[in-house]
Amino acid sequence: MPASPSTARAINDRVALRLLQQEGPLTAGQLKQLTGLSRPTVADLVERLTAAGLIDVVGESGEQRRGPNARLYGIVADRAQLAALDVRTEGVSVVVSDLLGRELARASVPIADDTGTGPAVEQAVTLVERAAKEAGAERLHTVGVGAPGLIDPATGELRDSSGLPEWHRRLVAALQERLPARVIVENETNLAALAEQRDGVARDRDTFVLLWLGHGTGAAVVLDGRLRRGASGGTGEIGFLPVPGTSTLPSATDCEGGFHSLAGSAAIAELASGYGLVAAPASSGEPEAAALVRQAVAALSVPSPSASPSPSSTSSSSSGADRFLSALADRLAIGAASVVAVLDPGCVVLGGEVGQAGGEVLAARVGERLVRMSPLPVEVRASTLGGGAVLRGALLTARESAQEDLFAPRPR
């Protein structure tokens, strides 16, 4: 059946808004060309969207033409302000943006292990409120939160998860109470995969697995363009995967003895020490493993022994770095091979701070091992977003939710 006039108008409005979001400011003529709608229909939708406060004139086209230049219409970016949070065991980071995702403020706060639940929650909420004030946002429309742990697929709530601080779950409730905003919670690794698919190394893939390598380990599964969470929200809990090379087996309440014992930051740091590598001071919040992997990759690129005051020490350092990266690739390939054998994703992204630090050097070594271990073709890529992928994914989620709400047709 043909759509009713009101339904057709709503569809046309959404199409136009999506184009303005993707392409940036457009003239009415460009909207006509891109949508295939008639000139009067485009004129009507421009009038409706302007009256609704969703678009406005943001300039004029630069085309050389007789008469006045055509008006450029763009989405009203300050129609809503958004926030994204990356919640880690050691602290919280926040970004505030406008409706188009342009950053307005950024802040972070460390939270010590011995901080009580109440004070930790207060520090985090105050951080968000302060960042919103700095951005000039009187009211946040939507807040996207990325946190470790399981997200209940039925309720969207952060569930109890062994080893995570209590303030994580309390924080979500506090944000909902203190902020007049919609709060959306998602697993951090899932958000990182979303960011890598939209803005990172997996832009050309609709099926891939992101292997998170940061302070801890995790995985996110994207199949046929959709993020898969599983029956209980636990898809990707690869830290609990039983693997060879550990002294015990994981349990329902402790991932010690699982893949985490091979690829978590502490395990990688211990591996590096066996090859004589000592981490230089890492940036704030960065896992020690990321600094070690970055140093090892840099050691391999030393141009020549003559560039160093001690050729023998340079050669020794390079050899230790090479052997460390090979041993690390052996470990990562064990977890990656299990995922590839079950899901056949065709692409594995080494994500998180460690994956980004290893770059193409580490990705290539893992890829070589997977070729030998699996009959299934798979490409291994290094993250281009690293640990920042969580904040980016949280912001994308908040922006999409806000736009779904603001761009929805309103009753007449």
Side-chain angles (χ1 to χ4, degrees):
M1 295 178 61
S4 66
S6 61
T7 300
R9 285 194 295 269
I11 293 172
N12 293 339
D13 290 354
R14 293 291 288 272
V15 169
L17 287 165
R18 290 300 178 196
L19 283 170
L20 290 168
Q21 173 194 343
Q22 296 165 6
E23 304 293 334
L26 298 169
T27 66
Q30 289 169 327
L31 281 171
K32 174 182 178 297
Q33 181 180 9
L34 292 171
T35 61
L37 299 172
S38 67
R39 188 177 299 276
T41 300
V42 170
D44 286 344
L45 74 81
V46 166
E47 183 179 355
R48 279 195 306 275
L49 296 177
T50 302
L54 293 174
I55 69 172
D56 202 356
V57 177
V58 296
E60 294 182 343
S61 68
E63 298 175 1
Q64 298 298 320
R65 48 173 294 183
R66 297 181 62 182
N69 290 333
R71 294 177 174 178
L72 279 169
Y73 295 94
I75 292 174
V76 179
D78 60 1
R79 175 67 185 269
Q81 284 79 37
L82 319 169
L85 276 74
D86 181 359
V87 181
R88 306 284 181 101
T89 54
E90 69 280 0
V92 177
S93 298
V94 61
V95 167
V96 179
S97 82
D98 61 22
L99 186 58
L100 292 177
R102 289 193 290 255
E103 184 176 316
L104 304 175
R106 178 183 290 261
S108 61
V109 62
I111 297 179
D113 292 340
D114 58 355
T115 305
T117 297
V121 170
E122 184 61 30
Q123 286 183 49
V125 176
T126 300
L127 179 76
V128 178
E129 293 175 333
R130 188 167 64 245
K133 183 177 181 180
E134 179 185 338
E138 296 181 4
R139 176 189 177 99
L140 292 172
H141 183 283
T142 305
V143 177
V145 181
L150 304 182
I151 308 299
D152 191 312
T155 65
E157 296 178 352
L158 184 63
R159 292 169 46 194
D160 287 324
S161 197
S162 174
L164 295 178
E166 173 65 21
W167 65 265
H168 278 199
R169 290 197 309 118
R170 289 278 298 278
L171 173 59
V172 175
L175 289 170
Q176 292 170 332
E177 292 171 3
R178 295 263 291 269
L179 302 177
R182 176 185 303 168
V183 179
I184 303 171
V185 188
E186 180 58 273
N187 174 268
E188 59 178 355
T189 308
N190 287 343
L191 290 177
L194 172 64
E196 292 287 357
Q197 187 181 35
R198 299 289 181 81
D199 299 330
V201 75
R203 288 189 298 271
D204 62 335
R205 307 291 307 201
D206 63 358
T207 295
F208 69 98
V209 168
L210 179 132
L211 189 62
W212 178 264
L213 303 168
H215 286 284
T217 58
V221 177
V222 177
L223 301 178
D224 300 324
R226 292 180 56 195
L227 187 67
R228 307 292 177 162
R229 295 178 174 82
S232 65
T235 294
E237 287 294 314
I238 197 172
F240 287 87
L241 180 72
V243 292
T246 62
S247 59
T248 184
L249 289 173
S251 70
T253 58
D254 189 355
C255 61
E256 190 65 30
F259 182 63
H260 175 82
S261 295
L262 295 183
S265 181
I268 294 175
E270 183 179 358
L271 176 68
S273 68
Y275 292 95
L277 275 67
V278 179
S283 61
S284 177
E286 181 184 53
E288 181 184 7
L292 286 163
V293 170
R294 186 179 301 107
Q295 285 179 222
V297 171
L300 297 184
S301 63
V302 174
S304 68
S306 61
S308 169
S310 175
S312 61
S313 64
T314 299
S315 176
S316 174
S317 173
S318 177
S319 173
D322 182 70
R323 288 182 289 127
F324 161 62
L325 290 173
S326 291
L328 177 57
D330 288 340
R331 291 186 173 193
L332 298 182
I334 291 174
S338 300
V339 173
V340 169
V342 174
L343 297 175
D344 187 19
C347 178
V348 172
V349 175
L350 302 184
E353 294 90 349
V354 175
Q356 185 181 39
E360 293 303 321
V361 172
L362 183 58
R365 296 186 183 212
V366 175
E368 290 167 1
R369 285 153 177 78
L370 287 180
V371 168
R372 297 196 299 265
M373 295 170 68
S374 173
L376 305 176
V378 61
E379 180 182 5
V380 180
R381 301 178 180 180
S383 166
T384 55
L385 301 176
V390 177
L391 265 182
R392 183 59 184 160
L395 189 58
L396 286 168
T397 299
R399 190 179 75 182
E400 288 187 0
S401 176
Q403 290 180 348
E404 283 294 322
D405 176 55
L406 295 171
F407 295 175
R410 303 300 180 189
R412 292 179 173 272

